[in-house]
Amino acid sequence: MKRNKIWLGLSMALMLVAAGCGNNNAAVDNAAGKGNAPASTAEATADTGSSQDNKSYTIAISQYVEHPSLDATREGFMAALKEAGIVEGENLKVDLENAQADQANNLSIAQKIAGDKNDLVLGIATPSAQALVQNVKDTPILFAAVTDPIDAKIVTDLEHPGGNVSGASDTNPESITRLMQFIAGQFPKVKKLGLVINEGEPNAVVMADIAKQELDKHGIELVKAPITNTSEVKQAAESLVGRVDALYITLDNSVVSGVDTIIQTANDNKLPFFSADRDTVEKGAFATVGFKYYDHGYQVGQMAVEVLKNGAKPGDMKVTMQEKLDLILNLKAAEAQGIEVTDAMKAEVADPANNIIQ
């Protein structure tokens, strides 16, 4: 618990100094529909150069598994590079590797990347970033979709990471506490909240601990259904039926990869389903407090531009996080899960045009 309080304190301090890093309601639409490239950041990167530069670049990306949040992160990252004139197929070569949630594959990928010559490497998700940090010693490393980079031993300091590593955390602890407060305030019948979790993923454990601390204040019990891989998600979700009043998942890669089965279980049994990310809400969970992962990846892409074009050292770049959070509701999911969406619930959404999904 002490570790989480320290992380929370560090995170709140970072929130005060990292103003303007995130913008989740930008006007420039991503053609793939994953998110938005913030107008202000687009202007900033416009000055960093164009595809007319003579230099070419090689980067490697290690992604732990395919699912909407991590895919959107990668797309945002690539969009930021393109905005700055670093364009795949023109002056950029990309080695994209996916571990498919297999730790042995993940380690092999990191070792392969360590033996290759790259200008920069990106780790998407905590396990990928950990493996890269352990194996890649000289090449600049950036990470994205990492919950707690200190607990994961990716960096030792958020303001001054040091070494060859920096990036962005995808968890603002406030997003977890606010979601738990929403559940407690708007769902008085929820006394037990079921959590499907792979406790082998440090990011999932950290988020579960933060959620439990807040739920304890409201007299709500967090009931865990543990798994070790994605194939166990369906059985774990079904094991919670009759034992809990609602379901919740963290940014747990193994669980998110099998989230369709949780959505089906929630719908079949009229259990409100809450998630830690917007993409899962778009797929069929009812609510989260969060942001668009495309914007998260775009933010890390801007850091990559600074490294590649301006010679910035990752160790001198503070670890950032998304600052602008909002409650996000899916009204179709509410109907499927037997939830009456009240005016009081809708009133908690700051940007209903973007964050109430019809």
Side-chain angles (χ1 to χ4, degrees):
M1 296 297 180
K2 181 177 180 182
R3 181 191 64 202
N4 293 328
K5 291 179 180 178
I6 293 172
W7 166 238
L8 181 57
L10 288 168
S11 301
M12 294 303 292
L14 184 58
M15 289 167 61
L16 295 174
V17 299
C21 290
N23 182 350
N24 299 318
N25 300 309
V28 182
D29 289 336
N30 164 36
K34 296 294 184 182
N36 300 320
S40 60
T41 55
E43 291 168 1
T45 55
D47 293 333
T48 61
S50 70
S51 57
Q52 295 177 350
D53 292 344
N54 292 326
K55 186 173 181 180
S56 60
Y57 306 89
T58 301
I59 66 173
I61 300 175
S62 176
Q63 181 172 323
Y64 188 59
V65 69
E66 290 179 336
H67 64 63
S69 296
L70 301 189
D71 293 344
T73 298
R74 187 185 69 251
E75 290 165 7
F77 176 84
M78 295 299 297
L81 294 181
K82 185 175 182 180
E83 185 74 27
I86 303 175
V87 183
E88 186 176 9
E90 294 182 12
N91 60 350
L92 173 64
K93 180 180 178 181
V94 180
D95 174 19
L96 174 60
E97 305 283 350
N98 194 304
Q100 299 299 345
D102 185 294
Q103 284 287 13
N105 289 343
N106 188 49
L107 177 59
S108 296
I109 288 169
Q111 291 171 340
K112 172 190 176 297
I113 290 174
D116 294 339
K117 184 174 179 58
N118 292 290
D119 297 298
L120 180 141
V121 299
L122 170 69
I124 301 178
T126 300
S128 293
Q130 287 175 317
L132 289 175
V133 168
Q134 291 165 6
N135 288 276
V136 179
K137 300 303 179 183
D138 299 320
T139 306
I141 301 172
L142 294 178
F143 59 81
V146 169
T147 297
D148 186 342
I150 291 180
D151 181 74
K153 297 181 173 55
I154 294 171
V155 298
T156 58
D157 187 293
L158 299 177
E159 287 292 313
H160 306 285
N164 62 328
V165 185
S166 190
S169 169
D170 63 352
T171 298
N172 183 327
E174 183 185 352
S175 68
I176 305 170
T177 57
R178 280 178 56 183
L179 182 59
M180 297 306 111
Q181 290 165 2
F182 174 75
I183 295 170
Q186 300 296 339
F187 292 82
K189 293 183 180 180
V190 173
K191 301 302 180 184
K192 294 184 178 181
L193 182 63
L195 172 67
V196 179
I197 182 171
N198 179 0
E199 294 185 300
E201 291 199 28
N203 46 304
V205 174
V206 168
M207 295 185 72
D209 286 347
I210 296 172
K212 185 179 185 303
Q213 289 176 34
E214 186 61 32
L215 291 171
D216 285 347
K217 297 176 184 178
H218 302 280
I220 299 174
E221 180 183 355
L222 186 66
V223 180
K224 295 181 180 179
I227 67 163
T228 58
N229 58 64
T230 300
S231 67
E232 299 172 355
V233 170
K234 183 177 187 294
Q235 182 178 355
E238 291 175 345
S239 76
L240 292 168
V241 176
R243 299 167 53 209
V244 301
D245 307 302
L247 301 173
Y248 168 63
I249 62 170
T250 67
L251 299 174
D252 185 325
N253 295 294
S254 300
V255 175
V256 174
S257 294
V259 76
D260 288 343
T261 61
I262 302 179
I263 293 170
Q264 189 63 54
T265 300
N267 294 349
D268 289 347
N269 296 278
K270 303 303 179 186
L271 287 171
F273 175 31
F274 304 92
S275 74
D277 67 291
R278 180 191 181 97
D279 296 291
T280 299
V281 171
E282 291 179 349
K283 290 189 75 173
F286 168 57
T288 191
V289 173
F291 54 87
K292 293 183 178 180
Y293 268 79
Y294 179 93
D295 293 343
H296 172 69
Y298 193 96
Q299 182 174 307
V300 180
Q302 289 181 286
M303 298 175 73
V305 171
E306 287 299 311
V307 172
L308 295 172
K309 287 207 159 191
N310 299 328
K313 296 181 179 179
D316 297 333
M317 306 170 78
K318 66 185 177 184
V319 175
T320 62
M321 71 172 65
Q322 287 291 328
E323 302 300 326
K324 190 171 183 179
L325 302 172
D326 196 7
L327 177 67
I328 303 163
L329 304 178
N330 184 328
L331 301 189
K332 288 184 179 179
E335 182 179 359
Q337 294 160 22
I339 301 168
E340 180 185 354
V341 181
T342 64
D343 290 340
M345 292 180 186
K346 293 179 180 178
E348 293 196 31
V349 182
D351 183 8
N354 285 302
N355 293 330
I356 294 181
I357 302 167
Q358 302 291 334

